[in-house]
Every structure is written in C-alpha cells, then in structure tokens.
Amino acid sequence: MTSAREGGGPSARRIATEGPPAVVLVGRANAGKSTLFNRITRGGRAITSAIPGTTRDLNFARAKHGDREFVVVDSGGLELGGHERMTERIVGEALAAVGVADVVVFILDGKGGLSEADAEALALVRETGCPLIMAVNKIDRPGQEAEAAEFYALGGDELFFISAAHGRGIDELLDQVVARLPEREGAVAASPDLRLALIGRPNVGKSSILNRLSGFERAIVDDTPGTTRDPVDVRLSAQGRDVLLIDTAGIRRPPRVEGELEHHSVGRAIETIRRANVVLLVIDASEGITDQDARLARLVDSSDRAMVIVCNKWDAAAKQGRKVAAFVRDAHERYPFLDYATMVFTSAVTGDGVDGIIPAATQAGDSWRAVFQTSRLNRTLAEATAAMDPPQVDRRRLNLMYVTQVGSAPPRLRFFTNVEHGIPAHYIRFIETRFRKSLELVGTPIRLDFRRTGRSWVQGSPPGRPRGKPRNRPAPRTKPARA
C-alpha cells in the first residue's frame, strides 16, 4: 500500500505550505475531535454534536501553547468500513491531511470502549510514519483511567487520558504535542488584506466556487444539500492581495431549518457574515433571485458589509434562454435595494466567469473602506443640489449646507441641513446615487445621516463657529440700583 505520506491530496498540499507546523486531529466519528479542536483553539469554530460524522470538511485554525504556534486541523471520522461516496471522500481527505502533518493526535472514545475499527484506523495512520500521540477522550472524572485501561492493548505509544469537554489533561497533552513539533521557518502570517465570506442557500454551488478559486478541493463537494457544515477558511493570494475566503453552510428559511445540527450551521454562517469585509452571496441563476436570497441580502446589508452577488449555474440559466441584461434589470426592479451590489455571472462547473469574482470583491472591499476629502464631498453636494432642486419639507425648502465623512466600513456621510426629519425618500435616493457615482463606490452600502443646524454657512465652510467671530456670551447680571 502507498502511504499517505508519499502522496497527499490537494488539501494536504495546502497544509504543507501554511508556514507553522500542522497538528492533525484524527479518529473515528464522534470520538470528540471537534470538541478538542475548540478547546485547543479557544475559538469554538468547529460544530460539535452527538451525531456521528458532523465534521466533513477539514477545519483549520491557528493555536498557541507556551511559546509555540501551530495550525490545528480537525478532520472527518475515519470510518474505514463505509462504502458511501461521502464517507470515502471524508476518509480520503483525513488521510491526506495525516500524510503531511507534523504531529497526529489520534483520539479514542473512552466511553465507547476499544473496538476492532479503532485498531484498523490506527494501523493505517501509523503507516504514515508521522509522529503519533494517542489520546483517550471523555475521561471526565478521576478514576475513569482504570476503566479505559483496555486501550493499552493498542500498544506502542503513550496514552493521554483527557476530557476535551471539561479540559482535563489538555495541558499535558499539548506539552507533548509541542515537544514533538519541528522547527519551521516562517513568521506567523499577517492578517489578510480582505476577508470574503461565501453565503447562500443550500446547494447553490458555494463549495464548488471555493474549490475553483483556491485551485484545489479544500471543501468536499456533493450534490446533497447541506454538505458543508463548519465554516471553511482558505488563504489565497490574488492581484497582490492576501485574501481569506470563508465557505459556510447553506442558510435556509427558519421554518425549514431542521434539527439541532443545522441550527448550529446556520448560526455559524450568520456569525461569519460579521467576520467578513465583503460577502459573496451565491445564488442559483437558473432559479433567479428567490425571496430567501433577498432575505440573506438584507441580512448582509443590515450587517454593514459590502456585497457581490455571484449568479452561479449561469450555464444552465443560459440554456433556459436567460439574458444577463434582462436578469439584472428584473432583479433591480423586484429588489431595488440590490442596486449597489455588483453581479458576477459564473459556472463553477465549467469555470466560466469565476475569475471575475475576486476583482469584483476587491473593488467592493476598497469602496467599503474608502475615505474621502471633505472638499470633494462638498463639490459633489453642490453638483447634486444644482442638478435637482431640494424639495420642500413642511413648507420649508430643504437646505443641504455641508457634508462630511464621519466613518468608513462602510462609508458614513453626515449632512448638515435646516430640516432633519421628513426628507422625501426619493430625494435621499437621488443624493445617494449621485454620491455613489461621483465617489466611484461599488458594492458597498453607504449610510447617510441628516442633522439639523440653525446656522446657514457660506458654501464650503465647516460646521461650527465661523472663524474670527467671538462666542455669544450671556450678558452679565447686574444688581438693581437701590432707590
């Protein structure tokens, strides 16, 4: 048999180039790998459940113990007797990760007891020749070690009795892990320039797009909706930018979310939106933009994130006779709030259009962070008020006196006016459109705030006390003269 160390799948090749040494957690399904992953990384990013096979994709995170940093990899269960397509692929990915790991922690279920399947999986891992540490999990209280003594029959390696759920024995385990880590050159990777999150309904092609963009099968892809459960992170370099790409579980309408496991997946996907700078909302173009797609878009907008709409499966949509221009027009007519989002038309199956995703996301991210000079903003304001007279509000002509930027990510503009409330929505939309075009903002929301002030400044003067004018002070009180 060819050892995994000689080969290594696509995901494994990625681990080998991460920089810090890699520690891979393996074992049979439901042994507690994800709970240990969360304990080590202190991030709680892997979904844990009593349902065997919860983890399908490889889940990566950086961790530190003492003065050593390393990458921890949570893998799917090594169920060697499974003949289902998904089981075989999960096992293949896990073994590929083992093949290039610096240290492997093989986790055994202390409550379930020793089984022949444990011995078979362990034998296969030992063939890689990778430094191996064995941990018997779910030893939750003192004295249980004696009950788990049967695991010594596996022989050859020291056993660590731990409780990932309660933290027992974890420091001792990590001491041994760190002692076996090799020295590897390369500093800890800096924070990425741009964080992109792929979200969408189940089975719209998010993981396929992630695989296309990253150039390898980082996520397991299957026709079954809900294949991705944990958020999956991939670092890549594009157009000179360091990009973190995050795949997520499909998000259904709340009434259709089934079971505890899917509730966790959906919750993590929503959390991921807040981790991102730009959200790539993937839709099935052959179905058009559905109401659930629109709900997700509103969630992105309310989270103040930039957005690119990836219209995937366009090859199938084109066969149905759909045209790009008509698709965009219909989307904007039905969902006007989507106007600012860039649309990219792709087929993850053929690769068509996928190269346009990162440039669109980069432009949206730059717009999201953009900062503008006040003089430029006020020139745009003057042009906008000259193009369309401000309306009357409560029998008073609206006067937009001054504008300044008060925040970014996304851009926030504050307008000083003579009227604060009741400004017609159509005029606010006109002002927003003019500023978007003038400032070349693409793919990002823009927040407009109107503040009433009693002063009427000369055009271009900043809000506040005019220069050179003394403050108005109340007249001093004088005592009345005595009669």
Side-chain angles (χ1 to χ4, degrees):
M1 175 184 291
T2 302
S3 75
R5 198 144 187 92
E6 295 171 8
S11 295
R13 290 196 294 273
R14 179 67 180 183
I15 298 170
T17 62
E18 281 288 342
V23 177
V24 178
L25 309 181
V26 296
R28 296 184 59 219
N30 210 30
K33 297 181 295 299
S34 294
T35 303
L36 180 58
F37 176 90
N38 291 341
R39 174 71 62 177
I40 294 173
T41 61
R42 301 175 184 175
R45 289 183 52 234
I47 298 172
T48 60
S49 170
I51 302 170
T54 298
T55 299
R56 292 175 174 179
D57 303 321
L58 298 182
N59 201 6
F60 290 56
R62 290 177 181 267
K64 184 175 182 180
H65 182 69
D67 61 351
R68 291 301 308 274
E69 296 196 8
F70 49 94
V71 174
V72 186
V73 185
D74 182 23
S75 66
L78 286 177
E79 301 300 321
L80 303 182
H83 298 292
E84 296 181 4
R85 179 176 53 169
M86 281 297 297
T87 301
E88 292 176 354
R89 298 178 74 175
I90 292 167
V91 171
E93 284 288 284
L95 289 177
V98 168
V100 293
D102 295 290
V103 174
V104 172
V105 179
F106 192 97
I107 303 168
L108 297 146
D109 185 347
K111 286 186 177 177
L114 180 62
S115 70
E116 184 177 344
D118 289 322
E120 291 176 356
L122 180 61
L124 190 58
V125 171
R126 278 176 169 156
E127 286 187 15
T128 67
C130 182
L132 177 66
I133 297 172
M134 295 168 56
V136 181
N137 191 28
K138 305 182 185 180
I139 307 300
D140 299 331
R141 63 180 186 275
Q144 279 188 299
E145 292 86 350
E147 300 172 17
E150 61 179 327
F151 287 97
Y152 282 108
L154 295 171
D157 301 280
E158 181 181 0
L159 285 180
F160 289 84
F161 295 94
I162 66 170
S163 172
H166 299 95
R168 294 187 70 241
I170 302 301
D171 286 341
E172 292 79 4
L173 174 65
L174 290 179
D175 287 342
Q176 187 62 26
V177 167
V178 166
R180 299 195 186 192
L181 289 178
E183 295 295 335
R184 181 176 290 178
E185 295 182 0
V188 176
S191 297
D193 299 326
L194 192 63
R195 296 177 182 270
L196 309 180
L198 284 155
I199 72 165
R201 295 179 293 119
N203 209 30
V204 294
K206 299 183 298 298
S207 295
S208 297
I209 288 174
L210 176 116
N211 290 340
R212 280 280 182 183
L213 291 173
S214 60
F216 58 88
E217 288 196 6
R218 173 64 176 79
I220 296 174
V221 179
D222 189 79
D223 293 334
T224 306
T227 299
T228 298
R229 288 171 175 169
D230 293 316
V232 175
D233 293 7
V234 174
R235 294 286 285 264
L236 54 90
S237 180
Q239 298 183 317
R241 308 286 285 271
D242 183 17
V243 178
L244 177 68
L245 192 59
I246 312 165
D247 189 18
T248 60
I251 307 177
R252 311 190 206 193
R253 289 188 297 111
R256 298 189 61 186
V257 176
E258 301 171 356
E260 175 190 359
L261 186 57
E262 190 170 1
H263 273 288
H264 282 300
S265 297
V266 171
R268 290 293 167 82
I270 293 172
E271 289 175 13
T272 299
I273 291 174
R274 295 178 174 88
R275 286 179 59 204
N277 310 133
V278 181
V279 174
L280 307 177
L281 174 59
V282 184
I283 70 166
D284 184 338
S286 64
E287 298 180 9
I289 298 180
T290 67
D291 288 342
Q292 175 63 358
D293 294 328
R295 289 188 190 94
L296 294 178
R298 289 189 185 279
L299 178 61
V300 174
D301 183 74
S302 65
S303 299
D304 286 338
R305 296 301 182 262
M307 178 166 53
V308 173
I309 300 176
V310 180
C311 305
N312 194 35
K313 305 186 182 181
W314 187 250
D315 51 336
K319 290 179 182 178
Q320 298 171 359
R322 292 182 181 266
K323 304 295 182 182
V324 169
F327 189 97
V328 173
R329 183 182 63 251
D330 292 346
H332 290 170
E333 287 179 356
R334 187 174 178 187
Y335 305 107
F337 73 96
L338 294 177
D339 278 1
Y340 72 83
T342 305
M343 288 190 180
V344 180
F345 294 83
T346 67
S347 169
V349 173
T350 65
D352 291 340
V354 174
D355 289 345
I357 294 175
I358 297 297
T362 300
Q363 186 178 18
D366 290 343
S367 294
W368 186 69
R369 294 191 180 108
V371 177
F372 302 98
Q373 291 184 342
T374 303
S375 58
R376 181 179 179 185
L377 297 176
N378 282 280
R379 282 196 302 270
T380 302
L381 177 60
E383 293 166 358
T385 54
M388 178 184 287
D389 288 336
Q392 285 195 348
V393 181
D394 293 333
R395 299 182 181 181
R396 300 175 64 189
R397 178 69 61 183
L398 173 65
N399 183 11
L400 298 173
M401 295 177 250
Y402 191 79
V403 59
T404 186
Q405 184 171 359
V406 294
S408 61
R412 300 175 186 275
L413 306 182
R414 178 165 294 165
F415 295 81
F416 293 89
T417 75
N418 62 334
V419 176
E420 188 169 14
H421 302 293
I423 301 173
H426 77 273
Y427 194 74
I428 294 176
R429 188 167 180 80
F430 164 75
I431 292 293
E432 179 180 337
T433 300
R434 293 290 299 211
F435 272 82
R436 281 190 181 281
K437 184 175 181 179
S438 176
L439 303 177
E440 300 178 339
L441 294 173
V442 177
T444 180
I446 178 173
R447 306 305 184 204
L448 309 184
D449 176 39
F450 296 88
R451 293 293 179 92
R452 182 178 178 276
T453 177
R455 296 170 177 165
S456 298
W457 317 299
V458 176
Q459 181 69 36
S461 299
R465 179 169 54 89
R467 184 175 299 176
K469 183 177 180 180
R471 297 180 184 272
N472 293 326
R473 300 181 182 275
R477 293 183 179 181
T478 57
K479 293 182 180 181
R482 294 182 179 180

